[in-house]
Amino acid sequence: MKNLTGVLVFSAVLFLAPGCTRKTGEAPGPTDASAATDEAARTGASKGALSAEDAGSGSTTRAAQEACVDTWLQKQGLDAYGNPEGSMYAGGTPLFNERTGEQIDRLDFIFKNKPEARQACSGDASTE
């Protein structure tokens, strides 16, 4: 009977030990600047990620165009990617293809799927 109790305790320790984590007060995951850059690149949220069309434009033009597109999407009842509100995406964003590792710029994605957004905000892209 002593061996059975010992085996049960040992099994419980082996079963529970991998799930235990050490509480050190540190935030989980990497905390260096490259982690923030990787996250911005994955979600397409980087302000510096310019498409070929925007490469010659200043960042203020890009910011104005993004603001115009965001306002247009909101008026249309669409999410940040031009899809109906409440849409869910594998990996959290439709901008990153997990199979190929390809990243798409958010504005390019929206303009490809909603050309009327480009027309509505074309005045912002040409002013500076």
Side-chain angles (χ1 to χ4, degrees):
M1 193 66 173
K2 281 186 171 183
N3 285 341
L4 182 60
T5 305
V7 169
L8 288 175
V9 170
F10 182 71
S11 298
V13 168
L14 285 178
F15 180 72
L16 296 175
C20 295
T21 59
R22 190 170 40 139
K23 302 282 184 188
T24 62
E26 296 177 15
T31 57
D32 61 327
S34 66
T37 306
D38 292 344
E39 177 65 18
R42 187 181 69 77
T43 61
S46 173
K47 299 288 185 199
L50 299 177
S51 65
E53 179 178 286
D54 296 330
S57 303
S59 62
T60 56
T61 301
R62 170 70 182 207
Q65 190 174 27
E66 284 183 355
C68 177
V69 168
D70 289 339
T71 302
W72 184 87
L73 290 171
Q74 215 171 25
K75 287 179 183 176
Q76 301 298 317
L78 303 172
D79 67 5
Y81 306 110
N83 296 314
E85 284 289 336
S87 296
M88 297 182 74
Y89 308 102
T93 177
L95 303 178
F96 181 71
N97 186 336
E98 293 178 355
R99 281 188 237 148
T100 63
E102 292 179 22
Q103 178 72 32
I104 303 170
D105 180 66
R106 185 175 77 97
L107 290 182
D108 290 342
F109 180 81
I110 293 169
F111 293 154
K112 178 183 171 192
N113 296 318
K114 302 285 183 191
E116 56 272 18
R118 182 187 301 269
Q119 293 171 352
C121 295
S122 63
D124 288 43
S126 63
T127 61
E128 172 62 6

